[in-house]
Amino acid sequence: MAARLLIALVAALALVGGGYWWGHTATDNAWQAKHAKALEAEREETAKETKRADQAAANYLTEHIDQEDRYAALNATYQDLRRRVPLVVPGPVVVVARSDPYGPDSPGPDERSAPATAVDSSPVLTLAAVRMWNGALTGIDQATGACSPASPTQSTDAACAQGSGLTLDDAWANHAANAKACADDRQRYQHLIDFLNGK
């Protein structure tokens, strides 16, 4: 009787142990299959992101080379233009007449009226200078007034040498606004870079 009980107990333990082993193996196999699926999905996502990054890098490189070529062509055009046309011309001369403290009918130390005084205003940028300024900002050579990118002739050079009405003060104000916009962009891009690197 004891032997039968012992055999039954061993058989029950064997069944429980076998069931546990089978369950553990099945669970392990299911976990491995799930893990393999997750790894495959991760590989696919990584390959997709790598392809997207490669495409973005290729696009950037193409656009960067295109921009470098455009600016090199602009530089050659503008160097040639600068040899032919000045960047600034004298501003209009304003003549101010001084009043005679004694009046026109008063006898004074000098019977003649006081001489007029010429007051020079600041230099004015030529249309060529404005054209080059705008081209440097946009990367595209465009006409400014009568100063066009057409092949150089005496008439286009004369048009480009005309005053634009803009002074060096105007150019400095525009430079300050552009520099501030560039600084703002740099700050935004740096925060984006830091965020992406942290991610």
Side-chain angles (χ1 to χ4, degrees):
M1 181 68 129
R4 282 185 194 173
L5 283 173
L6 186 58
I7 290 172
L9 182 61
V10 169
L13 286 175
L15 283 172
V16 169
Y20 176 78
W21 177 83
W22 179 82
H24 177 66
T25 302
T27 303
D28 197 35
N29 288 343
W31 180 85
Q32 285 178 356
K34 186 178 178 182
H35 184 64
K37 225 178 196 183
L39 281 176
E40 183 59 31
E42 190 176 313
R43 268 193 227 93
E44 287 175 9
E45 186 64 26
T46 301
K48 190 168 110 179
E49 285 301 307
T50 301
K51 183 178 178 183
R52 192 171 74 88
D54 289 346
Q55 186 61 49
N59 289 345
Y60 165 75
L61 189 58
T62 301
E63 289 176 17
H64 180 70
I65 290 170
D66 180 52
Q67 179 172 286
E68 289 290 319
D69 291 346
R70 265 195 340 266
Y71 273 97
L74 277 178
N75 186 48
T77 299
Y78 291 163
Q79 289 300 324
D80 183 48
L81 184 61
R82 286 186 71 178
R83 280 191 286 278
R84 298 186 325 267
V85 179
L87 294 180
V88 292
V89 291
V93 176
V94 179
V95 178
V96 179
R98 290 190 298 177
S99 61
D100 187 355
Y102 301 104
D105 298 328
S106 305
D110 187 354
E111 294 285 326
R112 296 172 295 158
S113 62
T117 304
V119 179
D120 289 334
S121 66
S122 59
V124 175
L125 297 173
T126 61
L127 290 174
V130 175
R131 177 179 148 196
M132 287 189 274
W133 185 280
N134 292 339
L137 288 176
T138 63
I140 299 168
D141 191 15
Q142 298 179 22
T144 302
C147 182
S148 73
S151 56
T153 63
Q154 285 185 336
S155 61
T156 57
D157 283 357
C160 289
Q162 291 177 0
S164 65
L166 298 170
T167 64
L168 295 175
D169 290 337
D170 296 322
W172 185 256
N174 184 258
H175 164 69
N178 291 333
K180 183 181 182 311
C182 286
D184 291 343
D185 286 344
R186 271 196 311 274
Q187 189 178 50
R188 278 194 295 272
Y189 294 147
Q190 190 58 55
H191 281 280
L192 178 61
I193 289 166
D194 292 344
F195 171 75
L196 292 175
N197 284 340
K199 189 174 182 183

